[in-house]
Amino acid sequence: MKKSLLLFVAMVTGMVANAQYENAKQVFISPKLQEAVKTHKLVAILPFEVKMTYKKQPRDFDIETNREKEREKAYSIQSSIYTFLLRKASKYTVEFQDVEKTNVLLKKAGMTDKLGEFTKDEIAKALNVDAVIAGKFEAEQSKSEAGAIVTTVLFGGMGSKTGSGALTMMVNDGPSGDLLWRFFKSMNDDVFSSSDELIDRMMRKVSRNFPYSK
């Protein structure tokens, strides 16, 4: 009985800590934002910078395979944000460039996989847009997916978190490259989370202060 009570308390404590972590967010709004967004008509969404690490590195860890996973996640997040914004297009004051066109133009400009070597105004010029949405996703896996599934089955979803992450989303002005808006959100990443689910969770928080909301 005592062991069961201690287990229950530990699980509840973990759930409270996870909830507090999920609620952690930071928003930066530039004084130039309101005037700048009035001139924006077309906005591009860039592939996100992704960093995936492990609390305990898997035995079969391969650095090249991990880099490929990061690259796939970068484009997956880009696509998920574009899909989310398209679904609610009538609520925004701007149009968003098709991500396939964005990626083709980046490739033609020699910027693919090298976005960190260019300023945001250089990127916006290559894409012929008024602003760019960029960001970073960092995730640390602390439990194997198999372990999370077992926990989910035993406890009905309680404690099934496989890791934690932080997602940063930024809007930079095209002509100047200036940072106009930045949103940072910490979140838990469970075994069932896809990029679409992660973005939905973030954008629900973003929607209240997204620069282009009508």
Side-chain angles (χ1 to χ4, degrees):
M1 179 69 179
K2 187 175 181 181
K3 288 183 179 179
S4 298
L5 180 60
L6 289 173
L7 178 61
F8 177 76
V9 171
M11 289 169 61
V12 171
T13 301
M15 290 174 68
V16 171
N18 289 343
Q20 291 175 336
Y21 186 79
E22 278 278 342
N23 289 329
K25 65 177 182 179
Q26 300 172 5
V27 182
F28 164 77
I29 300 175
S30 168
K32 302 176 182 179
L33 176 66
Q34 289 189 348
E35 286 302 314
V37 297
K38 291 177 182 178
T39 66
H40 295 173
K41 295 181 180 179
L42 183 62
V43 179
I45 304 160
L46 305 180
F48 271 41
E49 179 185 344
V50 173
K51 185 69 174 177
M52 300 173 69
T53 57
Y54 300 86
K55 193 168 186 177
K56 184 178 180 181
Q57 192 166 293
R59 292 181 181 178
D60 59 348
F61 178 81
D62 179 76
I63 190 168
E64 291 303 324
T65 300
N66 196 61
R67 283 175 180 168
E68 183 57 30
K69 286 182 179 179
E70 291 174 339
R71 189 173 186 278
E72 290 175 359
K73 193 73 170 179
Y75 287 97
S76 180
I77 291 175
Q78 177 197 29
S79 179
S80 294
I81 292 177
Y82 179 59
T83 299
F84 183 96
L85 295 174
L86 275 189
R87 292 203 311 261
K88 302 178 183 293
S90 62
K91 296 184 178 182
Y92 304 121
T93 58
V94 297
E95 293 184 4
F96 300 97
Q97 187 176 75
D98 185 286
V99 291
E100 289 188 8
K101 180 176 181 178
T102 296
N103 294 337
V104 168
L105 292 175
L106 289 175
K107 186 175 182 178
K108 287 183 176 180
M111 295 179 173
T112 302
D113 298 330
K114 296 192 297 183
L115 293 176
E117 299 177 17
F118 298 90
T119 61
K120 293 299 188 293
D121 52 306
E122 288 175 329
I123 296 172
K125 185 176 181 180
L127 298 175
N128 194 28
V129 295
D130 303 305
V132 294
I133 293 174
K136 178 187 295 185
F137 177 66
E138 297 177 287
E140 180 185 72
Q141 187 176 43
S142 55
K143 185 188 295 184
S144 70
E145 293 190 0
I149 291 173
V150 171
T151 306
T152 300
V153 172
L154 292 176
F155 302 110
M158 297 176 69
S160 61
K161 180 174 74 71
T162 58
S164 57
L167 207 157
T168 304
M169 184 175 180
M170 299 168 287
V171 174
N172 287 74
D173 183 52
S176 66
D178 291 343
L179 176 64
L180 299 176
W181 178 87
R182 179 183 183 275
F183 182 92
F184 171 87
K185 177 80 172 68
S186 299
M187 56 183 64
N188 294 324
D189 180 16
D190 63 44
V191 68
F192 301 110
S193 290
S194 66
S195 293
D196 286 342
E197 290 169 332
L198 289 172
I199 295 306
D200 278 345
R201 284 155 61 188
M202 184 191 76
M203 293 303 290
R204 283 198 295 271
K205 301 292 184 181
V206 166
S207 59
R208 299 176 184 176
N209 0 64
F210 193 54
Y212 302 115
S213 297
K214 289 182 178 177

